[in-house]
Amino acid sequence: NDVFVLISKSAVYIWTGKGSTGDERQVARTMTEKWTQREPVIVIEGQEKKDFWDAIGGEKPYASERRSAETHSFTPRLFQCSNASGRFVVEEILSFTQTDLCPEDVHLLDADDCLYGWVGQDSNKDERK
């Protein structure tokens, strides 16, 4: 259902779940290019090799069924990303509304099957990274 990026000392992996979309895979590749100069190894769900499993701590069972909207409920979560204190801090904003989006910061909205980034017009270069 998803795509994950793993950057380890030995390799960069883009793991693509069976239900992932082309857009999700492209965003993972774009973000990987921003984060590292190394060429990623594409890992397809069900075709993982030992080096991938070793990099994440070993092969273990995980949920791999495609989720259905009827059986899955989710409450979106909003996170504020700021370095106003002198260090980079990510804090969850509970019971949020649109007015909680601060133009001086970057926010991430976890919408379950999507992650949205909101870049405030007055956010600084470090926060935008």
Side-chain angles (χ1 to χ4, degrees):
N1 289 327
D2 292 310
V3 175
F4 295 96
V5 175
L6 171 65
I7 300 174
S8 72
K9 290 180 182 178
S10 60
V12 176
Y13 299 96
I14 297 178
W15 181 89
T16 61
K18 292 176 186 172
S20 64
T21 66
D23 287 343
E24 290 172 322
R25 293 187 293 272
Q26 183 56 50
V27 167
R29 183 169 283 282
T30 300
M31 296 310 297
T32 301
E33 290 169 0
K34 287 181 175 271
W35 295 332
T36 181
Q37 298 299 311
R38 296 186 284 168
E39 184 66 24
V41 176
I42 306 300
V43 179
I44 298 169
E45 182 177 12
Q47 299 177 20
E48 299 90 343
K49 294 189 173 137
K50 183 179 181 329
D51 59 332
F52 170 78
W53 288 119
D54 289 345
I56 64 168
E59 184 175 358
K60 297 186 175 126
Y62 63 92
S64 63
E65 297 294 320
R66 186 146 179 89
R67 289 184 298 227
S68 164
E70 296 92 38
T71 62
H72 180 73
S73 67
F74 181 81
T75 302
R77 300 171 67 195
L78 181 66
F79 298 89
Q80 182 175 12
C81 308
S82 175
N83 66 353
S85 67
R87 61 187 190 113
F88 191 76
V89 177
V90 177
E91 295 181 318
E92 185 172 4
I93 299 173
L94 303 174
S95 302
F96 61 89
T97 65
Q98 186 175 354
T99 59
D100 289 311
L101 296 173
C102 177
E104 293 85 19
D105 292 320
V106 171
H107 293 76
L108 296 174
L109 177 65
D110 176 0
D112 188 27
D113 59 350
C114 294
L115 182 66
Y116 296 96
W118 186 87
V119 179
Q121 65 184 11
D122 299 325
S123 60
N124 67 52
K125 185 176 96 178
D126 290 332
E127 292 168 339
R128 292 177 190 170
K129 280 185 180 180

